[in-house]
């Protein structure tokens, strides 16, 4: 219990201390006009309130990640707490804040355009592929996982296939609506359900009498029943609750609706901290109510959705437990919708297809949903592995973009370079060792090869940055740069 409460306290303290430092390092300008004001179009660029932007950001980034990930991460024991707390404060929240604010400074540009500007135009194509792959996997995962949860609380006659189709129909309808209608009207209600259900699970756990594991000298070890090594697996299992590249695809959506830069710390950094709190509660509940072997069997039998059902009913009873399950369901549905919405705009930008009519919107949207529907027939656990790797590769790219931005501006760039370098090494080790990669196993050769490759990538990144530094003006702005979307006035360039 002490570790759970202390960890949540550290997350909140991190928001008011390190979050404030990151904001100061970025150097916000509250008087600067935002894309929502300059490029207002009534569809994607729409001024919205701080509260709505924050709840949209939370629901966009959350999905089942901060719940399913920590549930599976709980198999490693209390050591999972460390990654959630440290990762969230020093990596994930920084990642989300920087991408959101850099996008806001660049007319709400998505990650591929930002990578093109700060890492070089050839990188744009690679980032586009990874980003679209990630969003397709995210959208599919966030159709499959809520469908399983809905199927567990609905009559058998409805069927899993019918639920999947209904979710896709909802996504299609919401995709063609303006953001303030599709998200602004519905998400506050979704957010209320999520917050209330999460608090209920947390309070019930504290008073349930179940022993909540603490992080001690005796428990800071790997308890995974399958014997999986903590590094790098834990850092891919728990992603959305600590560091997630998917968030970099969602932050630009909210940067297009924000009306003041001073809202950024609450909207981007703060909502990641909130996600960390959710992750702590579900990791603690999973470790408290089940032993590792039982938890592993439940995950294998029905994905982490089975654990969600059991935890909710055990702690809250049938009625309130079902309400809590509904609270979990709204997460992936909202994130899945946001993933497909982002995927549509990124693909349309890449192919230069204007999204100014419903016909053109559906021309891009329908094929994406058809591909995703086919992918829903894949084994969920296999889909999750590919999603996790693509997710953290995207996080590395996002942190390198942020590092380059800070470097060009003459700011402290170590705040993004250090977590970026760490995750880069983890990504390389993962792809060299895992079955989805080169299957080299976790050997000395693997770790050494990963170190060499990571250093090589960082060296190329550093040398290209020094050359780019020669092409900036005294304010750190790139000379002869064309902003990727729209045009700011000279005073905002």
């Amino acid at each position: 219990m002490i570790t759970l409460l202390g960890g949540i306290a550290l997350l909140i303290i991190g928001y008011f201390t390190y979050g404030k430092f990151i904001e100061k390092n970025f150097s916000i300008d509250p008087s600067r006009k935002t894309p929502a004001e300059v490029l207002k179009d009534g569809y994607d660029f729409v001024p919205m309130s701080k509260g709505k932007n924050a709840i949209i950001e939370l629901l966009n980034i959350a999905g089942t990640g901060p719940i399913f990930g920590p549930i599976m991460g709980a198999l490693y024991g209390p050591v999972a707490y460390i990654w959630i707390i440290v990762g969230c404060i020093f990596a994930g929240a920084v990642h989300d804040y920087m991408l959101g604010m850099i996008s806001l400074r660049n007319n709400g540009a998505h990650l591929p355009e930002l990578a093109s500007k700060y890492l070089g135009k050839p990188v744009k194509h690679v980032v586009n592929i990874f980003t679209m792959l990630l969003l397709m996997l995210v959208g599919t995962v966030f159709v499959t996982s809520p469908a399983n949860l809905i199927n567990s609380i609905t009559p058998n006659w409805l069927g899993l296939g019918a639920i999947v189709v209904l979710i896709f129909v909802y996504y299609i309808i919401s995709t063609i609506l303006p953001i303030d209608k599709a998200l602004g009207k519905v998400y506050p209600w979704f957010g209320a359900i999520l917050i209330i259900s999460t608090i209920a699970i947390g309070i019930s756990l504290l008073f349930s009498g179940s022993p909540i594991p603490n992080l001690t000298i005796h428990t800071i070890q790997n308890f995974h029943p399958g014997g999986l090594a903590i590094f790098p697996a834990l850092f891919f299992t728990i992603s959305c609750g600590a560091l997630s590249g998917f968030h970099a695809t969602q932050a630009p959506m909210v940067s297009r609706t924000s009306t003041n830069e001073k809202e950024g710390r609450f909207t981007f950094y703060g909502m990641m901290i909130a996600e960390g709190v959710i992750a702590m509660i579900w990791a603690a509940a999973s470790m408290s109510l089940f032993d590792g072997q039982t938890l592993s069997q439940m995950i294998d039998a029905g994905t982490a959705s089975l654990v969600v059902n059991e935890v909710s009913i055990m702690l809250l009873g049938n009625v309130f437990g079902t309400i809590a399950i509904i609270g979990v369901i709204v997460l992936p549905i909202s994130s899945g919708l946001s993933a497909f919405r982002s995927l549509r705009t990124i693909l349309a930008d890449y192919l230069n297809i204007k999204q100014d009519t419903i016909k053109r919107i559906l021309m891009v949207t329908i094929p994406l949903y058809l591909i995703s529907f086919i992918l829903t027939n894949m084994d969920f656990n296999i889909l999750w592995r590919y999603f996790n790797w693509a997710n953290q590769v995207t996080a590395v790219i996002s942190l390198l973009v942020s590092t380059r931005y800070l470097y060009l501006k003459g700011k402290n760039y170590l705040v993004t370079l250090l977590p970026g370098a760490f995750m880069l090494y983890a990504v390389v080790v993962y792809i060299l060792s895992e079955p989805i990669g080169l299957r080299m196993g976790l050997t000395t050769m693997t770790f050494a090869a990963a170190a060499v490759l990571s250093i090589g990538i960082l060296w190329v990144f550093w040398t290209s940055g020094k050359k780019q530094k020669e092409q900036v003006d005294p304010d750190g702005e790139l000379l002869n740069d064309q902003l990727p979307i729209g045009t700011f006035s000279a005073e905002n360039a």
Side-chain angles (χ1 to χ4, degrees):
M1 181 184 298
I2 294 176
T3 302
L4 172 60
L5 296 178
I8 292 175
L10 286 175
L11 288 169
I12 295 172
I13 292 172
Y15 169 76
F16 288 104
T17 55
Y18 198 66
K20 187 68 175 179
F21 169 75
I22 294 298
E23 179 186 57
K24 184 177 181 180
N25 188 56
F26 183 83
S27 297
I28 63 170
D29 180 4
S31 65
R32 183 187 181 101
K33 289 187 178 296
T34 66
E37 298 169 305
V38 178
L39 302 174
K40 184 178 178 180
D41 64 0
Y43 191 78
D44 290 315
F45 293 86
V46 180
M48 291 201 292
S49 67
K50 176 182 175 180
K52 282 189 176 182
N53 284 329
I55 203 66
I56 288 173
E57 173 71 5
L58 176 60
L59 290 174
N60 280 359
I61 66 176
T64 47
I67 297 175
F68 280 26
I71 286 173
M72 291 186 280
L75 293 172
Y76 294 88
V79 71
Y81 291 137
I82 299 177
W83 175 229
I84 294 174
I85 298 168
V86 176
C88 193
I89 295 172
F90 297 103
V94 176
H95 168 281
D96 292 11
Y97 178 82
M98 288 301 303
L99 249 293
M101 296 303 291
I102 294 172
S103 174
L104 191 147
R105 287 280 177 95
N106 286 274
N107 290 358
H110 281 288
L111 180 59
E113 285 78 21
L114 295 176
S116 175
K117 177 176 179 177
Y118 293 106
L119 301 182
K121 291 183 179 180
V123 179
K124 177 179 180 179
H125 303 294
V126 177
V127 176
N128 257 308
I129 293 172
F130 263 104
T131 303
M132 289 189 285
L133 171 64
L134 172 62
L135 288 170
M136 178 59 73
L137 291 174
V138 167
T140 304
V141 166
F142 292 162
V143 168
T144 304
S145 54
N148 285 326
L149 288 168
I150 294 172
N151 190 47
S152 68
I153 60 174
T154 53
N156 293 332
W157 58 262
L158 185 57
L160 183 62
I163 295 171
V164 168
V165 171
L166 289 174
I167 292 175
F168 274 119
V169 170
Y170 167 72
Y171 283 174
I172 292 173
I173 294 173
S174 298
T175 296
I176 62 178
L177 293 174
I179 190 168
D180 57 330
K181 302 296 189 299
L183 309 186
K185 299 292 186 183
V186 180
Y187 275 28
W189 294 99
F190 280 3
I193 296 173
L194 165 64
I195 293 169
I196 293 171
S197 62
T198 301
I199 292 174
I201 290 289
I203 293 176
S204 298
L205 177 63
L206 293 176
F207 292 96
S208 67
S210 301
I212 304 175
N214 287 311
L215 186 65
T216 67
I217 192 68
H218 301 294
T219 61
I220 189 168
Q221 57 179 297
N222 186 4
F223 289 98
H224 197 289
L228 294 179
I230 292 176
F231 185 86
L234 177 62
F235 302 90
F236 290 83
T237 302
I238 301 178
S239 54
C240 288
L243 171 65
S244 171
F246 169 62
H247 299 184
T249 69
Q250 300 306 295
M253 187 183 300
V254 177
S255 75
R256 298 180 177 195
T257 59
S258 299
T259 57
N260 197 307
E261 288 192 358
K262 67 182 180 181
E263 299 175 1
R265 181 161 65 97
F266 180 74
T267 301
F268 299 117
Y269 196 101
M271 292 307 101
M272 182 60 203
I273 293 296
E275 189 176 82
V277 173
I278 296 173
M280 287 289 291
I281 291 172
W282 279 96
S286 302
M287 284 185 261
S288 302
L289 301 178
F290 310 105
D291 61 75
Q293 195 63 45
T294 302
L295 186 61
S296 178
Q297 291 173 353
M298 292 172 68
I299 292 172
D300 290 339
T303 74
S305 61
L306 180 59
V307 181
V308 171
N309 289 3
E310 291 296 320
V311 168
S312 300
I313 299 300
M314 289 173 68
L315 291 178
L316 301 177
N318 289 327
V319 176
F320 292 105
T322 300
I323 295 174
I325 294 171
I326 294 173
V328 175
I329 289 171
V330 303
L331 283 171
I333 287 181
S334 57
S335 290
L337 167 59
S338 300
F340 282 118
R341 194 180 183 98
S342 297
L343 179 56
R344 172 185 60 78
T345 56
I346 290 173
L347 181 60
D349 288 346
Y350 191 56
L351 299 178
N352 196 28
I353 301 175
K354 289 186 176 181
Q355 298 292 276
D356 53 355
T357 65
I358 292 180
K359 180 180 179 180
R360 287 176 175 173
I361 290 172
L362 292 178
M363 182 173 68
V364 177
T365 300
I366 297 300
L368 295 176
Y369 285 134
L370 289 175
I371 295 172
S372 179
F373 182 76
I374 294 171
L375 290 176
T376 59
N377 295 310
M378 285 183 61
D379 179 80
F380 177 85
N381 291 320
I382 294 176
L383 199 64
W384 186 266
R385 293 191 199 106
Y386 281 97
F387 155 67
N388 279 338
W389 184 74
N391 188 35
Q392 299 304 55
V393 168
T394 306
V396 171
I397 295 169
S398 303
L399 287 167
L400 292 181
V401 167
S402 302
T403 300
R404 181 63 58 79
Y405 176 88
L406 293 173
Y407 173 68
L408 295 178
K409 291 288 186 179
K411 304 293 183 180
N412 182 346
Y413 56 83
L414 292 179
V415 296
T416 51
L417 177 60
L418 292 178
F422 171 78
M423 189 50 67
L424 170 63
Y425 182 65
V427 162
V428 177
V429 170
Y430 191 86
I431 200 63
L432 291 179
S433 63
E434 290 294 311
I436 69 169
L438 300 184
R439 302 172 177 266
M440 291 173 59
L442 294 175
T443 65
T444 303
M445 178 64 72
T446 300
F447 289 117
V452 171
L453 288 171
S454 299
I455 292 172
I457 293 171
L458 290 174
W459 180 82
V460 172
F461 171 72
W462 179 254
T463 53
S464 64
K466 291 177 68 176
K467 292 181 180 179
Q468 195 176 36
K469 183 77 168 178
E470 299 172 357
Q471 304 172 29
V472 299
D473 61 24
D475 295 324
E477 294 290 342
L478 290 168
L479 299 173
N480 301 318
D481 174 62
Q482 295 295 321
L483 291 174
I485 298 177
T487 305
F488 272 152
S489 61
E491 63 180 355
N492 289 296

